[in-house]
Amino acid sequence: MDFCPAGSTDLSEAEEAEIETIRQHRQELLEDIKKLKEEIAEVFAEIECFRNAEERPEADNNPGEQTSKLSQRDKLLSLGRKKFNMDPAKGIQYLIEHQVLSSDLQEIAKFLHKGEGLNKTAIGDYLGGRDPTNIQILQAFVACHQFANLNLVQALRQFLWSFRLPGEAQKIDRMMEAFANWYCKCNPGVFQSTDTCYILSFSIIMLNTSLHNPNVKDKPLFETFVSINRGIDNGGDLPEELLKNLFESIKNEPFSIPEDDGNDLTHTFFNPNREGWLLKLGGRVKTWKRRWFILTDNCLYYFEYTTDKEPLGIIPLENLSVRKVDDPKKPNCFELFNPNCKGQKIKACKTDGDGKVVEGKHQSYKISAATPAERDEWIEAIRTSITQNPFYDLVSARKKKIASKN
């Protein structure tokens, strides 16, 4: 994170010296924050340890010694969970090194499936990893689910409740591939191939979004659901009765998506896709103001200072596009706009002077970077973030695979 745009020539030596002092002070604050977080994690671990000790009946033999050993293990377990929620790989490594978990992949998978005290976003991120060990743990994790004699919607409800599906296409592909393989193994004969189960699973997830997202005005009909799934069963069509049951199940009850605790926002801002200082043109009052921007989770957040906990504004990037633009007053500009709703305000929010959250007043957002290179890097990062739903690309690729076989 830089406090001053690289290559800026608008600052005096005194101002540059002051910024350097602020930068050093900020680094010290970040280190203090890290230490405080570790201390807080230890305090929570001790609290949980005391709570467990109170609930646990006294041991018959050497109660003091056994309680002490169990309490120490509880403390390590709690610390390991906290570390996992911040960095899943380091959390698992910590638990193995302190012999709370063994390195057995089945045991690790069961620990994740039980999920007690674990952030479900972190679980999804870890299971989606491409490392061979992560993939084996994913397969063991999926096998913890009992899918026998369940229809596909029932199995998906169980599966998607055990973690939060990550946003990266390759991770989604690996996780849904593992799901389809295990479902077909538990329910032989329902589908002719795992590709059929894979495609239909994505169709159901997208159907859930279309039916229950308030921003989708034209709700899909059953006939549409049948149409998009034609020919997916090794070139043949699935029974209409099967599709009808799946459609009605989702229509009557949407998927329940697990919610994480308040640490989620902190986790989001500590793992941004990109961050840095930019100039933003006001919506109602056309003045340029310097803001600290963070790009993450398909949203662009902007703050007055890097140390602020709450953003001044949030710009959801769904349905938006980004492009280079010229401005007579500022160089290196780019613009966020909605190509399908010209003249309408972008759905965004900000805080007003009284601290109240209000609707944004921008029909587009014009932003200026310090250099052409920075501008291009921001544009590329934003375009990557707002690419179309990866589900469509994954389904399209799998349909092409089926078509090539027939």
Side-chain angles (χ1 to χ4, degrees), residues 78-96:
S78 184
L79 275 171
R81 287 169 177 160
K82 298 291 182 183
K83 289 179 182 292
F84 178 89
N85 292 341
M86 292 302 298
D87 187 321
K90 288 183 179 179
I92 294 295
Q93 182 181 356
Y94 176 89
L95 291 168
I96 292 173

Side-chain angles (χ1 to χ4, degrees), residues 246-264:
L246 299 178
F247 182 90
E248 291 298 326
S249 178
I250 287 296
K251 182 179 178 181
N252 294 330
E253 183 183 353
F255 285 133
S256 296
I257 305 300
E259 295 292 340
D260 281 320
D261 58 26
N263 291 331
D264 221 20

